[in-house]
Amino acid sequence: DIRREADALSKGRHRIVLENHGPQGLLGSARELRSAFANLAVNAVRYTPEGGEIKLCWSGEGEGGARFSVSDSGIGIAREHLPRLTERFYRVDRGRSREAGGTGLGLAIVKHVLERHQAAIQIESEPGRGSRFSAVFPPHRVQS
């Protein structure tokens, strides 16, 4: 479902890859988790230039946990902005966010949903090289 939504938004402008090597189930609110995962995928489409690649990956993590990650070959984000990205209404570049259609709430919502599921968001990024946003779940939330 998340890939289909990203494909629809992309309209063929990006290469979107799905890797699914993870566990069969995740305990929690399907509606909330789907919203958080979709938000990460939609952001990748919005901030990746045409012709770029976006990878959605569901995998096992550590000792029984799981990870959903979205990697892109997009514009990237400077290190000094990373700690504040999940703050409500925080924007790295207000003009670029308006052009992409963002409200400044998406990552704050993702963080809140993940906290409700005892999970954490991890953000890795480098300007000009893209970003990777991951939702990391503890073993007690994972069904094999």
Side-chain angles (χ1 to χ4, degrees), residues 18-77:
L18 173 63
E19 293 182 3
N20 183 356
H21 307 291
Q24 294 297 312
L26 189 59
L27 299 172
S29 166
R31 182 184 54 80
E32 289 181 12
L33 292 168
R34 187 196 182 291
S35 173
F37 294 173
N39 188 288
L40 296 178
V42 165
N43 281 351
V45 171
R46 285 185 175 154
Y47 293 103
T48 299
E50 186 170 342
E53 180 175 286
I54 297 164
K55 182 166 68 171
L56 311 175
C57 183
W58 174 243
S59 60
E61 173 77 8
E63 299 183 13
R67 174 185 296 261
F68 175 76
S69 64
V70 178
S71 304
D72 64 58
S73 62
I75 57 178
I77 304 160

Coordinates of all heavy atoms in Angstrom, one line a residue, residues 18-77:
L18 N 11.0 -1.6 -3.5 CA 10.5 -2.1 -2.2 C 11.3 -3.4 -1.9 O 11.4 -4.3 -2.7 CB 9.0 -2.5 -2.3 CG 8.4 -3.2 -1.1 CD1 8.4 -2.4 0.1 CD2 7.0 -3.7 -1.4
E19 N 11.9 -3.4 -0.7 CA 12.5 -4.6 -0.2 C 11.8 -5.0 1.1 O 11.6 -4.2 2.0 CB 14.0 -4.3 0.2 CG 14.9 -4.0 -1.0 CD 16.3 -3.7 -0.7 OE1 16.7 -3.9 0.5 OE2 17.1 -3.4 -1.6
N20 N 11.4 -6.3 1.1 CA 10.6 -6.8 2.3 C 11.3 -8.1 2.7 O 11.1 -9.2 2.2 CB 9.2 -7.1 1.9 CG 8.3 -7.6 3.0 OD1 8.8 -7.8 4.1 ND2 7.1 -7.7 2.8
H21 N 12.2 -7.9 3.8 CA 12.9 -9.1 4.4 C 12.5 -9.2 5.8 O 13.2 -9.8 6.6 CB 14.4 -8.9 4.2 CG 14.8 -8.6 2.8 ND1 14.7 -9.6 1.8 CD2 15.3 -7.5 2.2 CE1 15.2 -9.0 0.7 NE2 15.5 -7.8 0.9
G22 N 11.5 -8.5 6.3 CA 11.2 -8.4 7.7 C 10.2 -9.4 8.2 O 9.7 -10.3 7.4
P23 N 9.9 -9.3 9.5 CA 8.9 -10.2 10.1 C 7.5 -10.0 9.5 O 7.2 -9.0 8.8 CB 9.0 -9.8 11.6 CG 9.6 -8.4 11.6 CD 10.4 -8.3 10.4
Q24 N 6.7 -11.0 9.8 CA 5.3 -11.0 9.2 C 4.4 -10.0 9.8 O 3.4 -9.6 9.2 CB 4.7 -12.4 9.4 CG 5.4 -13.5 8.6 CD 5.3 -13.2 7.1 OE1 4.2 -12.9 6.6 NE2 6.4 -13.2 6.4
G25 N 4.6 -9.6 11.1 CA 3.6 -8.8 11.7 C 4.2 -7.8 12.7 O 5.4 -7.9 13.1
L26 N 3.4 -6.8 13.0 CA 3.8 -5.7 13.9 C 2.6 -5.4 14.7 O 1.5 -5.2 14.2 CB 4.3 -4.5 13.1 CG 4.9 -3.3 13.8 CD1 6.2 -3.8 14.5 CD2 5.2 -2.2 12.8
L27 N 2.8 -5.4 16.1 CA 1.7 -5.2 17.0 C 1.5 -3.7 17.1 O 2.4 -2.9 17.5 CB 1.9 -5.8 18.3 CG 2.1 -7.3 18.3 CD1 2.5 -7.8 19.7 CD2 0.8 -8.0 17.9
G28 N 0.3 -3.2 16.9 CA 0.0 -1.8 17.1 C -1.2 -1.4 16.3 O -1.9 -2.2 15.7
S29 N -1.4 -0.1 16.2 CA -2.5 0.5 15.5 C -2.2 0.5 14.0 O -1.3 1.3 13.6 CB -2.8 1.9 16.0 OG -3.7 2.6 15.0
A30 N -2.8 -0.3 13.2 CA -2.5 -0.4 11.8 C -2.7 1.0 11.1 O -1.9 1.4 10.3 CB -3.4 -1.4 11.1
R31 N -3.8 1.7 11.5 CA -4.1 3.0 10.9 C -2.9 4.0 11.3 O -2.5 4.7 10.4 CB -5.4 3.5 11.5 CG -5.8 4.9 10.9 CD -7.1 5.4 11.6 NE -7.1 5.5 13.0 CZ -6.5 6.4 13.7 NH1 -5.9 7.4 13.1 NH2 -6.5 6.4 15.0
E32 N -2.5 4.1 12.5 CA -1.4 5.0 12.9 C -0.1 4.6 12.2 O 0.6 5.5 11.7 CB -1.3 5.0 14.4 CG -2.4 5.7 15.1 CD -2.2 5.7 16.6 OE1 -1.1 5.4 17.1 OE2 -3.2 6.0 17.4
L33 N 0.2 3.4 12.2 CA 1.5 2.9 11.6 C 1.5 3.2 10.1 O 2.5 3.7 9.6 CB 1.8 1.5 12.0 CG 2.1 1.2 13.5 CD1 2.1 -0.3 13.7 CD2 3.4 1.8 13.9
R34 N 0.4 2.9 9.5 CA 0.3 3.2 8.0 C 0.5 4.6 7.8 O 1.2 5.0 6.8 CB -1.0 2.7 7.5 CG -1.1 2.8 6.0 CD -2.5 2.7 5.4 NE -2.4 2.7 4.0 CZ -2.1 3.8 3.3 NH1 -1.8 4.9 3.9 NH2 -2.1 3.8 1.9
S35 N -0.1 5.5 8.6 CA 0.0 6.9 8.4 C 1.5 7.4 8.6 O 2.0 8.2 7.8 CB -0.8 7.6 9.4 OG -0.6 9.0 9.4
A36 N 2.2 6.8 9.6 CA 3.6 7.2 9.8 C 4.4 6.7 8.6 O 5.3 7.5 8.1 CB 4.1 6.6 11.1
F37 N 4.3 5.5 8.2 CA 5.1 5.0 7.1 C 4.8 5.7 5.8 O 5.7 6.0 5.1 CB 4.8 3.5 6.9 CG 5.2 2.6 8.1 CD1 4.9 1.2 8.0 CD2 5.9 3.0 9.1 CE1 5.3 0.4 9.1 CE2 6.3 2.2 10.2 CZ 6.0 0.9 10.2
A38 N 3.6 6.0 5.6 CA 3.2 6.7 4.3 C 3.8 8.1 4.4 O 4.3 8.6 3.3 CB 1.7 6.8 4.2
N39 N 3.8 8.8 5.5 CA 4.4 10.1 5.6 C 5.8 10.1 5.2 O 6.3 11.0 4.5 CB 4.2 10.6 7.1 CG 4.6 12.1 7.2 OD1 5.8 12.4 7.1 ND2 3.6 12.9 7.4
L40 N 6.6 9.1 5.7 CA 8.0 9.0 5.3 C 8.2 8.8 3.8 O 9.1 9.4 3.2 CB 8.7 7.9 6.1 CG 8.7 8.0 7.6 CD1 9.4 6.8 8.3 CD2 9.4 9.3 8.1
A41 N 7.4 8.0 3.2 CA 7.5 7.7 1.8 C 7.1 8.9 1.0 O 7.8 9.3 0.0 CB 6.6 6.5 1.4
V42 N 6.0 9.6 1.4 CA 5.6 10.8 0.7 C 6.6 11.9 0.8 O 6.9 12.6 -0.2 CB 4.2 11.3 1.2 CG1 3.9 12.7 0.8 CG2 3.1 10.3 0.8
N43 N 7.2 12.1 1.9 CA 8.3 13.1 2.0 C 9.5 12.8 1.1 O 10.0 13.7 0.5 CB 8.9 13.1 3.5 CG 8.0 13.9 4.4 OD1 7.0 14.6 4.0 ND2 8.3 13.8 5.7
A44 N 9.8 11.5 1.0 CA 10.9 11.1 0.0 C 10.5 11.5 -1.4 O 11.4 12.0 -2.1 CB 11.2 9.6 0.1
V45 N 9.3 11.3 -1.8 CA 8.9 11.6 -3.2 C 8.9 13.1 -3.3 O 9.4 13.7 -4.3 CB 7.5 11.1 -3.5 CG1 7.0 11.6 -4.8 CG2 7.5 9.6 -3.5
R46 N 8.5 13.9 -2.4 CA 8.4 15.3 -2.5 C 9.8 16.0 -2.5 O 10.0 17.0 -3.2 CB 7.6 15.9 -1.3 CG 6.2 15.7 -1.3 CD 5.5 16.4 -0.2 NE 4.0 16.3 -0.4 CZ 3.2 16.4 0.6 NH1 3.6 16.5 1.9 NH2 1.9 16.3 0.4
Y47 N 10.8 15.4 -1.8 CA 12.1 16.0 -1.7 C 13.2 15.3 -2.5 O 14.3 15.6 -2.4 CB 12.5 16.1 -0.2 CG 11.6 17.1 0.5 CD1 10.6 16.6 1.4 CD2 11.7 18.5 0.3 CE1 9.7 17.5 2.0 CE2 10.9 19.4 1.0 CZ 9.9 18.9 1.8 OH 9.0 19.7 2.5
T48 N 12.8 14.4 -3.4 CA 13.7 13.8 -4.3 C 13.5 14.3 -5.7 O 12.4 14.2 -6.2 CB 13.6 12.3 -4.3 OG1 13.8 11.8 -2.9 CG2 14.6 11.6 -5.2
P49 N 14.5 14.9 -6.4 CA 14.3 15.4 -7.7 C 13.9 14.3 -8.7 O 14.2 13.1 -8.5 CB 15.7 15.9 -8.1 CG 16.4 16.2 -6.8 CD 15.8 15.1 -5.8
E50 N 13.3 14.7 -9.8 CA 12.9 13.7 -10.8 C 14.1 12.9 -11.3 O 15.2 13.4 -11.4 CB 12.4 14.5 -12.0 CG 11.8 13.6 -13.1 CD 11.1 14.4 -14.2 OE1 10.7 15.5 -13.9 OE2 10.8 13.8 -15.2
G51 N 13.9 11.6 -11.5 CA 15.0 10.7 -11.9 C 15.7 10.0 -10.7 O 16.5 9.2 -10.9
G52 N 15.4 10.5 -9.5 CA 16.0 9.9 -8.3 C 15.4 8.6 -7.9 O 14.4 8.1 -8.4
E53 N 16.0 8.0 -6.9 CA 15.6 6.7 -6.4 C 15.1 6.8 -5.0 O 15.8 7.4 -4.2 CB 16.7 5.6 -6.5 CG 16.3 4.2 -6.0 CD 17.3 3.2 -6.2 OE1 17.5 2.8 -7.4 OE2 18.0 2.8 -5.2
I54 N 14.1 6.0 -4.7 CA 13.5 5.9 -3.3 C 13.4 4.4 -3.0 O 12.9 3.7 -3.8 CB 12.2 6.6 -3.2 CG1 12.3 8.1 -3.5 CG2 11.5 6.4 -1.9 CD1 11.0 8.8 -3.9
K55 N 13.9 4.1 -1.8 CA 13.9 2.7 -1.4 C 13.1 2.5 -0.1 O 13.4 3.2 0.9 CB 15.3 2.1 -1.2 CG 15.3 0.6 -0.8 CD 16.6 -0.1 -1.0 CE 17.6 0.4 0.0 NZ 18.9 -0.4 0.0
L56 N 12.1 1.7 -0.1 CA 11.3 1.4 1.0 C 11.8 0.0 1.5 O 11.8 -0.9 0.7 CB 9.8 1.3 0.7 CG 9.2 2.5 -0.1 CD1 7.8 2.2 -0.5 CD2 9.3 3.8 0.7
C57 N 12.1 -0.1 2.7 CA 12.7 -1.4 3.2 C 12.1 -1.8 4.6 O 12.1 -1.0 5.5 CB 14.2 -1.2 3.3 SG 15.0 -2.8 3.8
W58 N 11.6 -3.0 4.7 CA 11.1 -3.6 5.9 C 12.0 -4.8 6.2 O 12.2 -5.7 5.4 CB 9.6 -4.1 5.7 CG 9.0 -4.9 6.9 CD1 8.6 -6.2 6.9 CD2 8.8 -4.4 8.2 NE1 8.1 -6.5 8.1 CE2 8.2 -5.4 8.9 CE3 9.0 -3.1 8.8 CZ2 7.9 -5.2 10.3 CZ3 8.6 -3.0 10.1 CH2 8.1 -4.0 10.9
S59 N 12.6 -4.7 7.4 CA 13.6 -5.7 7.7 C 13.7 -6.0 9.2 O 13.1 -5.2 10.0 CB 15.0 -5.2 7.3 OG 15.4 -4.0 7.9
G60 N 14.3 -7.1 9.5 CA 14.5 -7.5 10.9 C 15.6 -6.6 11.5 O 16.4 -6.0 10.7
E61 N 15.6 -6.4 12.8 CA 16.5 -5.4 13.4 C 17.0 -6.0 14.7 O 16.2 -6.4 15.6 CB 15.8 -4.1 13.7 CG 16.6 -3.1 14.4 CD 17.7 -2.4 13.6 OE1 17.7 -2.6 12.4 OE2 18.5 -1.7 14.2
G62 N 18.3 -6.1 14.9 CA 18.9 -6.5 16.1 C 18.4 -7.9 16.6 O 18.3 -8.8 15.8
E63 N 18.0 -8.0 17.9 CA 17.6 -9.2 18.5 C 16.1 -9.3 18.5 O 15.5 -9.3 19.6 CB 18.2 -9.3 19.9 CG 19.7 -9.3 19.8 CD 20.4 -9.4 21.2 OE1 19.7 -9.8 22.2 OE2 21.6 -9.2 21.3
G64 N 15.5 -9.4 17.4 CA 14.1 -9.6 17.3 C 13.2 -8.4 17.0 O 12.0 -8.4 16.9
G65 N 13.9 -7.2 16.8 CA 13.1 -6.0 16.5 C 12.9 -5.9 15.0 O 13.1 -6.9 14.2
A66 N 12.4 -4.8 14.5 CA 12.2 -4.6 13.1 C 12.4 -3.1 12.8 O 12.4 -2.2 13.6 CB 10.7 -5.0 12.8
R67 N 12.6 -2.9 11.5 CA 12.9 -1.5 11.0 C 12.2 -1.3 9.6 O 12.2 -2.2 8.7 CB 14.4 -1.4 10.7 CG 14.8 -0.1 10.1 CD 16.3 0.0 9.8 NE 17.1 -0.1 10.9 CZ 17.6 1.0 11.5 NH1 17.5 2.2 11.0 NH2 18.4 0.9 12.6
F68 N 11.5 -0.2 9.6 CA 10.9 0.3 8.3 C 11.8 1.5 7.9 O 11.8 2.5 8.7 CB 9.5 0.7 8.4 CG 8.9 1.3 7.1 CD1 8.6 0.4 6.0 CD2 8.7 2.6 7.0 CE1 8.2 1.0 4.8 CE2 8.3 3.2 5.8 CZ 8.0 2.3 4.7
S69 N 12.4 1.5 6.8 CA 13.2 2.7 6.4 C 12.9 3.1 5.0 O 12.5 2.3 4.2 CB 14.7 2.4 6.5 OG 15.1 1.4 5.6
V70 N 13.0 4.4 4.8 CA 12.8 5.1 3.5 C 14.1 5.8 3.2 O 14.5 6.7 4.0 CB 11.6 6.0 3.5 CG1 11.5 6.7 2.2 CG2 10.4 5.3 3.9
S71 N 14.8 5.4 2.2 CA 16.0 6.0 1.7 C 15.8 6.7 0.4 O 15.0 6.2 -0.4 CB 17.1 5.0 1.5 OG 17.3 4.3 2.7
D72 N 16.4 7.8 0.2 CA 16.2 8.5 -1.1 C 17.6 9.1 -1.6 O 18.5 9.2 -0.8 CB 15.2 9.6 -1.0 CG 15.5 10.7 0.0 OD1 16.6 11.4 -0.2 OD2 14.8 11.0 0.9
S73 N 17.6 9.4 -2.8 CA 18.7 10.1 -3.4 C 18.5 11.6 -3.6 O 18.9 12.2 -4.5 CB 19.1 9.5 -4.8 OG 18.0 9.6 -5.7
G74 N 17.7 12.1 -2.7 CA 17.2 13.5 -2.7 C 18.2 14.5 -2.3 O 19.4 14.3 -2.3
I75 N 17.7 15.7 -2.0 CA 18.5 16.9 -1.7 C 19.3 16.8 -0.4 O 20.3 17.5 -0.3 CB 17.6 18.1 -1.7 CG1 16.5 18.0 -0.7 CG2 17.0 18.4 -3.1 CD1 15.6 19.2 -0.5
G76 N 18.9 16.0 0.5 CA 19.6 15.8 1.8 C 19.4 17.0 2.7 O 18.8 18.0 2.3
I77 N 19.8 16.8 3.9 CA 19.6 17.8 5.0 C 20.9 18.0 5.7 O 21.6 17.1 6.1 CB 18.5 17.3 5.9 CG1 17.2 17.0 5.2 CG2 18.2 18.4 7.0 CD1 16.3 16.1 5.9

